[in-house]
């Protein structure tokens, strides 16, 4: 990292709160990556691009008051971090999870700027959410919370201003309730949220987009780096939510053998290959624990080869050719990376946002593992969100095949752009530096062109 930037960064770090640790982790990685670009072109320093980029345009923080089924009044905190709109309207998901705080949303919003830039599409970066925990809440409670959340959020969003989407804890059901409330308050019917159910303006393939995109990116990366297909290869996946499920689906459709997934209570291992139909039933329909997978298998007199050791997140101890962390941030540590490498893993693709710790990432790079960073690998979700905005604006409905084709093309282009950028800056094969430089450059050039 350049000394002058390091000094400014340290000053900035000390003036902020402990919740920002994860935000600094993301920023430090980006700043280290883009140092060759900053050293080679003085205009980025002259226009103070970095100083301007690391501070969000604005952070909106608000109170969300709602009443639960027992008529008890509950209070949560809501946020929207509008980070940068140089390339287009603010765009990024909403997360409902008890761990949500300003620091996590700043980290996710900052990553979102570069991710959205990498897609080549006209979208800026933002993130939002609440510390509300949807787990164990009735459908009615979810609806009441979403309505209360939108009562405040609607003042700051709009189809040309800021277009939120889903993330952890926010799927089509929550987007539906949020959209319904927005419509009621504003008397407008426009594409202010993406990830809507298809019946009222959603795009076909949005649920599948992030997971399918991760696999399209990985296919392209493995073809470029190793000339190898995924067909017949053993793969491990963590998580059992939206991203994990559709990563598994696409991998299976390409003939890969996916032997694991996980949830917050444990890891499921099935050497026969995961029964995805059953996982969808348990996680998407019943919203239950993966442990049910075992009881269903036992009842059907299957050979009990599946295992679910609870209380432990042990996906990365399972030998595989390619690993797909799709649960949450910092879930893959140095010990996990070491296990993966020892067991012969050659490729890691981040479906979740920043699931690998910096130490794990370093180990992957030093062992020449093909490593697809989140801001590139999981950009399929936001790409299809932008396709949804285009469809809403033109009142069109694209077919599943058209969206799929455009998604695949977008992921292949991102992969190519990153590989070429890495080569241009003397770090061939390093997809982290390639992604950070390519993503930063497009935003920075737009900021310079738009003046201060
Ligand atoms: P979901 O809420 O649908 O699923 C998250 C899954 O991960 C759940 O199964 C959850 O378990 C599991 N999980 C959470 N924490 C842990 C943990 N510590 N160990 C093991 N499993 C865990 O979220 P998404 O699939 O939408 O998002 C996953 C990640 O992908 C996040 O980092 C998100 O920011 C990122 N992402 C999502 C996009 C999208 O389109 N949805 C787009 C781009 C990035 P449980 O079922 O028990 O809660």
């Amino acid at each position: 990292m350049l000394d002058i930037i390091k000094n400014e960064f340290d000053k900035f770090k000390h003036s902020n709160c402990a919740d920002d640790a994860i935000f600094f982790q993301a920023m430090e990685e980006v700043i280290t990556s883009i140092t060759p670009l900053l050293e080679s072109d003085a205009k980025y320093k002259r226009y103070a691009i970095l100083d301007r980029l690391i501070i969000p345009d604005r952070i909106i923080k608000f109170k969300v008051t709602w009443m639960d089924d027992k008529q008890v009044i509950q209070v949560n905190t809501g946020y929207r971090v509008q980070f940068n709109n140089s390339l287009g309207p603010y765009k990024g998901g909403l997360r409902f999870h008890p761990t949500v705080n300003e620091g996590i949303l700043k980290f996710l919003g900052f990553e979102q700027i570069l991710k959205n830039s990498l897609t080549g599409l006209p979208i800026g970066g933002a993130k939002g959410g609440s510390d509300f925990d949807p787990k164990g809440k009735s459908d009615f409670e979810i609806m009441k919370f979403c309505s209360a959340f939108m009562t405040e959020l609607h003042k700051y969003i709009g189809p040309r201003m800021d277009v939120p989407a889903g993330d952890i804890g926010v799927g089509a059901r929550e987007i539906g309730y949020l959209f319904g409330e927005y419509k009621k308050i504003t008397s407008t019917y426009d594409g202010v949220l993406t990830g809507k159910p298809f019946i009222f303006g959603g795009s076909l393939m949005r649920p599948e987009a992030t997971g399918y995109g991760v696999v399209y990116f990985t296919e392209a990366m493995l073809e470029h780096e190793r000339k190898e297909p995924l067909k017949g290869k053993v793969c491990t996946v963590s998580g059992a939510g939206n991203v994990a499920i559709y990563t598994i689906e696409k991998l299976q459709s390409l003939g890969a053998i996916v032997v694991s997934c996980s949830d917050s209570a444990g890891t499921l291992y099935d050497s026969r290959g995961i029964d995805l139909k059953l996982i969808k039933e348990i996680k998407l329909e019943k919203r239950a624990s993966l442990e049910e997978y075992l009881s269903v298998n036992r009842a059907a007199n299957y050979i009990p080869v599946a295992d679910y050791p609870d209380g432990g997140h042990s996906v990365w101890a399972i030998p595989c050719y390619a690993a797909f962390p799709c649960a949450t941030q910092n879930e893959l540590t140095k010990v996990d990376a070491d296990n993966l490498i020892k067991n012969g893993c050659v490729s890691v693709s981040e479906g979740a946002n920043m699931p690998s710790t910096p130490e794990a990432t370093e180990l992957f790079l030093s062992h020449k593992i093909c490593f697809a960073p989140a801001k590139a690998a999981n950009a399929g979700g936001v790409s299809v969100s932008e396709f949804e905005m285009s469809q809403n604006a033109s009142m069109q409905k694209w077919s599943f095949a058209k969206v799929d084709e455009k998604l695949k093309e977008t992921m292949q282009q991102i992969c190519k752009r990153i590989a070429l950028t890495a080569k241009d800056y003397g770090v061939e094969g390093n997809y982290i530096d390639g992604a950070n430089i390519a993503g930063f450059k497009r935003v920075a050039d737009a900021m310079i062109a738009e003046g201060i």
Side-chain angles (χ1 to χ4, degrees):
M1 202 191 287
L2 289 172
D3 274 355
I4 183 150
I5 296 169
K6 192 172 177 345
N7 292 341
E8 281 171 21
F9 182 64
D10 286 345
K11 251 194 293 170
F12 183 68
K13 231 165 143 173
H14 287 121
S15 65
N16 283 271
C17 68
D19 283 349
D20 282 342
I22 190 141
F23 173 46
F24 296 131
Q25 182 185 326
M27 263 202 299
E28 204 149 11
E29 180 207 282
V30 171
I31 295 173
T32 306
S33 283
I34 62 173
T35 295
L37 175 69
L38 301 179
E39 279 172 339
S40 70
D41 196 334
K43 73 172 182 260
Y44 298 115
K45 180 76 192 130
R46 192 163 67 243
Y47 282 90
I49 294 298
L50 207 51
D51 309 59
R52 291 160 58 196
L53 196 66
I54 60 180
I55 298 177
D57 288 350
R58 66 194 62 80
I59 299 175
I60 299 141
K61 185 172 177 180
F62 50 92
K63 179 174 64 187
V64 186
T65 311
W66 58 284
M67 197 178 279
D68 68 18
D69 287 348
K70 294 187 190 111
Q71 313 287 305
V72 177
I73 293 169
Q74 302 286 345
V75 184
N76 287 96
T77 306
Y79 305 87
R80 186 70 181 163
V81 179
Q82 295 179 334
F83 228 115
N84 185 289
N85 64 353
S86 299
L87 293 173
Y90 299 109
K91 182 94 197 85
L94 296 172
R95 178 177 289 193
F96 291 168
H97 195 272
T99 58
V100 163
N101 59 40
E102 209 171 290
I104 287 192
L105 296 177
K106 271 158 64 182
F107 137 62
L108 291 166
F110 181 68
E111 290 284 292
Q112 197 80 42
I113 307 172
L114 302 186
K115 180 187 307 189
N116 294 1
S117 166
L118 278 175
T119 65
L121 299 167
I123 37 180
K127 202 79 189 185
S130 172
D131 57 358
F132 169 73
D133 186 358
K135 268 201 190 132
K137 302 290 188 299
S138 72
D139 202 45
F140 214 65
E141 288 174 324
I142 300 279
M143 190 194 299
K144 283 195 281 189
F145 176 79
C146 289
S147 299
F149 185 83
M150 187 50 89
T151 307
E152 188 62 25
L153 186 71
H154 85 275
K155 298 171 192 167
Y156 312 102
I157 60 175
R160 300 266 165 188
M161 190 200 299
D162 182 354
V163 186
D167 189 69
I168 291 179
V170 180
R173 172 181 62 164
E174 290 74 18
I175 293 287
Y177 295 148
L178 290 164
F179 183 76
E181 188 63 26
Y182 177 87
K183 192 166 62 71
K184 198 159 70 191
I185 299 172
T186 62
S187 299
T188 53
Y189 198 106
D190 48 30
V192 71
L193 290 154
T194 58
K196 299 184 287 297
F198 180 66
I199 189 170
F200 56 88
S203 175
L204 284 173
M205 246 202 95
R206 177 59 188 90
E208 293 87 348
T210 308
Y212 280 23
V214 172
V215 180
Y216 289 147
F217 187 94
T218 307
E219 249 191 322
M221 176 177 72
L222 287 171
E223 172 57 31
H224 190 265
E225 301 295 325
R226 302 177 59 93
K227 299 266 169 287
E228 284 174 1
L230 281 161
K231 189 168 183 202
K233 306 290 196 309
V234 171
C235 299
T236 47
V237 174
S238 67
N242 173 270
V243 180
I245 282 176
Y246 292 106
T247 297
I248 297 173
E249 185 165 282
K250 184 48 75 180
L251 282 169
Q252 290 184 338
S253 79
L254 294 177
I257 305 144
V258 184
V259 295
S260 76
C261 60
S262 66
D263 61 14
S264 45
T267 295
L268 181 73
Y269 171 65
D270 190 336
S271 61
R272 302 164 299 182
I274 292 288
D275 177 346
L276 187 61
K277 190 163 170 277
L278 185 51
I279 297 288
K280 282 186 178 178
E281 202 179 299
I282 296 168
K283 295 309 288 188
L284 299 183
E285 287 165 34
K286 296 189 192 164
R287 297 175 194 265
S289 160
L290 277 178
E291 197 170 7
E292 268 202 27
Y293 189 95
L294 303 188
S295 47
V296 173
N297 271 288
R298 280 191 201 111
N301 293 326
Y302 281 149
I303 309 159
V305 288
D307 195 11
Y308 181 77
D310 61 356
H313 184 58
S314 49
V315 178
W316 315 124
I318 303 167
C320 66
Y321 168 86
F324 295 84
C326 296
T328 192
Q329 64 265 9
N330 287 335
E331 57 157 308
L332 198 163
T333 63
K334 188 175 179 214
V335 175
D336 297 324
D338 202 34
N339 279 334
L340 281 167
I341 295 165
K342 278 189 191 135
N343 286 330
C345 172
V346 303
S347 165
V348 177
S349 301
E350 296 190 317
N353 281 315
M354 213 167 72
S356 317
T357 62
E359 298 76 25
T361 307
E362 219 168 278
L363 211 56
F364 290 138
L365 291 183
S366 65
H367 282 78
K368 302 272 178 248
I369 302 296
C370 295
F371 183 80
K375 61 174 73 70
N378 72 23
V382 77
S383 301
V384 173
S385 277
E386 198 278 342
F387 302 164
E388 185 174 328
M389 288 163 74
S390 296
Q391 292 172 75
N392 290 166
S394 60
M395 307 284 267
Q396 284 182 6
K397 286 270 183 205
W398 298 357
S399 68
F400 191 97
K402 178 172 174 176
V403 181
D404 195 23
E405 191 191 316
K406 282 182 78 72
L407 171 67
K408 190 167 185 178
E409 196 185 299
T410 305
M411 300 312 292
Q412 287 171 342
Q413 275 171 2
I414 297 174
C415 184
K416 199 168 155 193
R417 198 171 295 140
I418 291 174
L420 282 176
T421 306
K423 196 171 172 202
D424 284 350
Y425 285 85
V427 281
E428 194 166 359
N430 183 332
Y431 282 55
I432 300 180
D433 288 352
N436 286 330
I437 296 171
F440 174 84
K441 199 168 177 318
R442 185 167 172 248
V443 185
D445 291 345
M447 287 169 75
I448 291 171
E450 289 167 11
I452 55 168

